[in-house]
Amino acid sequence: MLPPRALWALAVALAALGLAQTWTLLRFQPPGLDFLPLWTAGRMAWSGHGQVYDFAAVTHAQAWLLPRFPWMRPYAYPPTALLLLAPLGALPFWAALGAWMALGFGVFLYAGTRLTRGRRTLVVALMLLSPAVVMAAIVGQAVILVSALTALAMVDLTGKPRRAGVWLALAAAIKPQAVLLAPLALVAGGAIEALVSAAVVGAVLVALSAAIFGVPLWTQWLASLPDFQKVIESVPNLMAGVITPLGAAHLLGLSGPAALVWRAAFALLGAGLAWSAFARRADPATRLAALAAGSLLIAPYAMHYDGAMLVPAAVALAVGRAQTPRWALGFLGLVAVCEVTTPDLGLAAVVAFAVLASGISLRAGAPRPVPAPTL
């Protein structure tokens, strides 16, 4: 059994680390740096949406805050995300950033407390202080909101599958790579109602974005993705913070067939973990862990702050198992997630957390059916 004070000690250590991270980052860049291209695209959506995927135009429009920034700062999110970003683009930047962070953290903490149910103060502290969440907050990343929506989907999947599908569709509309394995996972779990709901809501969002911003914007987005990957690879030292197998392959110097085999192996691992967790009807936290970690193992691009996708599940598993014989797996899983932001260790941390979370589920076993009463 893990005493609660051990988790509080971890929270205090994370607070110190978070302060150090915040101080270091804000010495070199303004807050909300990654929200800036999102807000810029939102402003362009009102009149010049034809330039949303013009990397040079979007970068030039950010020069008021970053006058001497030497690299491209493109907008790479799908057109559906503009349905949320366009209203924010109508606000001044700092007001929009405040609204963006309030929305993201409000839903994030609500989802985390629903996922864990109990020891809310400890849960909130661990979620807010996890290194990936701190980094995402400093730069104003969308992953906090997407993580919250995915967590809510896992909570509602059993009792309210249609609503779970809505949450997944909204998450995919903002950051589709974060829930790449959702269709496979829902099929594995027999959650067809949630899958249909997600497909319908997703189709409506795509149609709405096409009607408002134009169909050509979708082809422009798809055409921009290879160029976006080249931008990422061109920025010095940035690949050290990429936590996907593609990023690790780049750092290891793998290319051609070797890189394809490398990525395929991790994709199979991620898909297998997600399929297993959903097919066994694991608890919401374990399903969330498998879906989030598995999607990161398949995604072409994800940075260290995208490890925030793992935080609600990691905290729920650590706190929820603290008083059970499986406490060590939950605690180690949370520690692994805290290492996601360590340069060059992100992928290893994701894999470690996925395996530990799977181990918790396997040891717990599938729920036994309740026998019908006899008369």
Side-chain angles (χ1 to χ4, degrees):
M1 306 277 180
L2 180 68
R5 62 177 175 272
L7 288 171
W8 275 112
L10 177 60
V12 172
L14 291 177
L17 177 62
L19 287 173
Q21 288 178 325
T22 303
W23 170 256
T24 301
L25 282 176
L26 293 184
R27 287 178 63 195
F28 299 102
Q29 64 185 51
L33 190 68
D34 285 3
F35 177 67
L36 181 58
L38 277 66
W39 174 81
T40 301
R43 288 183 79 82
M44 287 182 169
W46 288 103
S47 57
H49 51 255
Q51 292 185 306
V52 164
Y53 296 106
D54 182 333
F55 291 0
V58 173
T59 301
H60 178 72
Q62 299 170 61
W64 66 272
L65 185 61
L66 302 170
R68 292 178 296 276
F69 199 83
W71 299 289
M72 288 287 185
R73 291 188 49 78
Y75 171 80
Y77 289 73
T80 44
L82 293 174
L83 296 171
L84 173 61
L85 296 174
L88 292 173
L91 300 174
F93 174 73
W94 298 111
L97 177 62
W100 175 250
M101 298 309 298
L103 172 64
F105 273 107
V107 183
F108 186 69
L109 295 179
Y110 170 68
T113 52
R114 281 196 66 196
L115 189 68
T116 307
R117 294 193 180 278
R119 298 186 179 173
R120 288 192 173 186
T121 304
L122 177 59
V123 168
V124 168
L126 289 171
M127 288 181 65
L128 289 180
L129 298 173
S130 294
V133 173
V134 172
M135 295 192 75
I138 295 171
V139 298
Q141 259 291 323
V143 68
I144 294 174
L145 178 58
V146 173
S147 174
L149 293 170
T150 310
L152 287 175
M154 297 303 98
V155 173
D156 287 333
L157 187 59
T158 301
K160 298 176 180 177
R162 293 181 185 177
R163 190 160 73 181
V166 173
W167 299 135
L168 286 173
L170 292 174
I174 300 170
K175 202 176 181 78
Q177 69 269 34
V179 289
L180 277 175
L181 283 175
L184 177 72
L186 294 177
V187 170
I192 304 304
E193 195 172 357
L195 181 62
V196 172
S197 172
V200 170
V201 174
V204 169
L205 293 174
V206 169
L208 188 60
S209 67
I212 296 175
F213 306 117
V215 174
L217 212 60
W218 278 95
T219 58
Q220 292 171 22
W221 173 60
L222 293 173
S224 74
L225 295 179
D227 291 333
F228 175 74
Q229 188 64 39
K230 293 177 182 177
V231 170
I232 297 303
E233 294 175 1
S234 69
V235 178
N237 302 319
L238 190 62
M239 292 302 292
V242 176
I243 61 175
T244 63
L246 179 62
H250 181 85
L251 292 173
L252 293 172
L254 300 178
S255 60
L260 290 176
V261 171
W262 170 268
R263 292 184 62 189
F266 282 103
L268 288 174
L269 173 62
L273 290 171
W275 183 278
S276 175
F278 280 74
R280 287 184 285 105
R281 309 294 200 275
D283 61 275
T286 304
R287 286 193 303 238
L288 177 60
L291 175 60
S295 295
L296 286 174
L297 294 179
I298 292 179
Y301 169 74
M303 289 294 294
H304 38 42
Y305 46 67
D306 288 312
M309 288 292 304
L310 308 175
V311 169
V315 171
L317 291 173
V319 175
R321 268 65 174 188
Q323 300 302 310
T324 72
R326 295 181 299 278
W327 67 266
L329 293 177
F331 183 76
L332 290 174
L334 180 57
V335 172
V337 169
C338 291
E339 290 298 316
V340 167
T341 58
T342 302
D344 300 325
L345 291 183
L347 178 60
V350 172
V351 172
F353 171 68
V355 172
L356 289 165
S358 178
I360 293 173
S361 178
L362 287 172
R363 291 188 63 181
R368 297 179 179 178
V370 179
T374 56
L375 299 177

